[in-house]
Amino acid sequence: MSDLFSKAQAAVGAIRERTQIAPRVGIILGSGLGGFAAQVEGAVAIAYAEIPHFPQSTVVGHSGKLVMGTIGGVPVAVMQGRVHAYEGYAMEQVTFPTRVLGLLGVRTLIVTNAAGGIRADIAQGSLVAISDHINLTGTNAALGPNEPRFACAPEAGQRFFDMSAAYSPALRRMAHAEAERQGIPLSEGVYVAVLGPSYETPAEIRAFRTLGADLVGMSTVHEVIVARHMGIEVLGISLVTNAAAGVLNEPIHHEEVMEIGRRVERQFTGLLTALVPQIAAI
Ligand code: HPA
């Protein structure tokens, strides 16, 4: 039981002992966005500590529960809290829950996060659909022996896999259409991932802007890499909790990240709740 696939199977077994729900859509909630889990109907909440091999979050604002149930009649698995590489976790651990979601039957993953806004027109409190990413964490979650048994779709589970449409254009179009219907401003941008936990320096942010990044954060890209390895479709939504370092002449605080999350919660919840049934219908 020591290889990654067996560990993921053990986690799936423990979850299936608690609920019959076979989730179609997985949702990973970022910092300050955990409140969305209250939308799940018939919820069965399983603490990460009760799931074999599941990593435990050490960050304030990440509660550490897998919430299974339905949204608009669609079976979902919602991760209330994630772990990050900066907590000292290996890539394999950071992405373990994503592997488990895939084995549970999730075919679409909605990844959400708190991010700093690099592009001038991306204001604090805005929601942004991630169009692409730049992985500057210096590592990759698919490192190590390839495991084709993680494939959830035909052609998936390959050693080398395509990332040219990692953030599904169809899902992005759907998100924009729904945001427009609800009158929620939703822009699009490229997310650059850094390791953290320090926020960036102004010089780093200037460099990232030159590289083509619009948003910066410390999560998400590895989950997306693993999801694409498995053949899972991805929608990424960032909540911009602050202007990135040097954009405004102000220091960045984690409390601000949490506060903005609470403020934007209603828009975020409205958007995601409406999107889940649409996603499941395709
Ligand atoms: N930088 C990196 N990660 C973040 C930020 C930021 O400015 N804001 C929220 N997460």
Side-chain angles (χ1 to χ4, degrees):
M1 280 294 253
S2 60
D3 72 290
L4 183 61
F5 188 75
S6 305
K7 286 179 179 170
Q9 279 185 315
V12 167
I15 294 164
R16 288 202 173 130
E17 275 176 23
R18 297 281 299 273
T19 173
Q20 303 287 314
I21 293 278
R24 296 265 307 276
V25 177
I27 303 172
I28 303 179
L29 299 174
S31 298
L33 298 172
F36 176 78
Q39 298 304 310
V40 178
E41 294 149 29
V44 175
I46 310 171
Y48 293 167
E50 297 173 63
I51 307 171
H53 313 294
F54 238 65
Q56 312 281 309
S57 178
T58 61
V59 188
V60 177
H62 282 263
S63 89
K65 266 187 262 161
L66 179 67
V67 182
M68 312 270 293
T70 61
I71 292 178
V74 176
V76 296
V78 179
M79 281 182 56
Q80 203 178 27
R82 57 151 68 87
V83 302
H84 309 77
Y86 64 70
E87 295 173 75
Y89 286 108
M91 280 303 124
E92 204 175 282
Q93 293 173 294
V94 169
T95 54
F96 185 78
T98 306
R99 295 290 198 192
V100 171
L101 291 183
L103 294 190
L104 280 169
V106 162
R107 293 298 169 264
T108 304
L109 181 66
I110 305 177
V111 283
T112 71
N113 58 49
I118 298 176
R119 207 171 70 212
D121 66 302
I122 297 182
Q124 186 181 48
S126 56
L127 293 171
V128 182
I130 303 175
S131 57
D132 204 345
H133 76 219
I134 301 171
N135 175 12
L136 289 187
T137 65
T139 185
N140 190 296
L143 281 182
N146 186 46
E147 178 48 87
R149 286 177 294 175
F150 279 121
C152 297
E155 312 287 317
Q158 309 280 338
R159 169 77 299 182
F160 302 105
F161 50 98
D162 185 45
M163 290 291 286
S164 55
Y167 297 84
S168 161
L171 294 179
R172 267 149 56 201
R173 278 195 296 275
M174 203 179 268
H176 285 297
E178 183 55 36
E180 205 171 306
R181 252 193 300 278
Q182 297 191 22
I184 298 170
L186 180 71
S187 55
E188 245 190 43
V190 173
Y191 176 95
V192 60
V194 294
L195 210 44
S198 60
Y199 290 118
E200 302 68 39
T201 63
E204 285 168 340
I205 294 301
R206 284 194 299 276
F208 297 164
R209 185 181 294 121
T210 305
L211 289 176
D214 303 306
L215 304 156
V216 58
M218 304 173 192
S219 66
T220 303
V221 297
H222 296 292
E223 292 150 357
V224 174
I225 288 169
V226 161
R228 295 310 294 145
H229 175 256
M230 299 174 86
I232 296 169
E233 295 294 313
V234 174
L235 175 67
I237 305 278
S238 286
L239 165 62
V240 178
T241 53
N242 57 279
V247 174
L248 306 175
N249 233 341
E250 293 164 6
I252 300 164
H253 303 288
H254 183 62
E255 295 71 36
E256 174 178 46
V257 171
M258 305 307 300
E259 165 59 26
I260 298 297
R262 279 189 288 275
R263 243 193 272 167
V264 182
E265 191 160 1
R266 186 140 33 108
Q267 286 190 341
F268 175 79
T269 297
L271 182 62
L272 250 61
T273 307
L275 276 175
V276 167
Q278 294 176 35
I279 287 170
I282 56 172

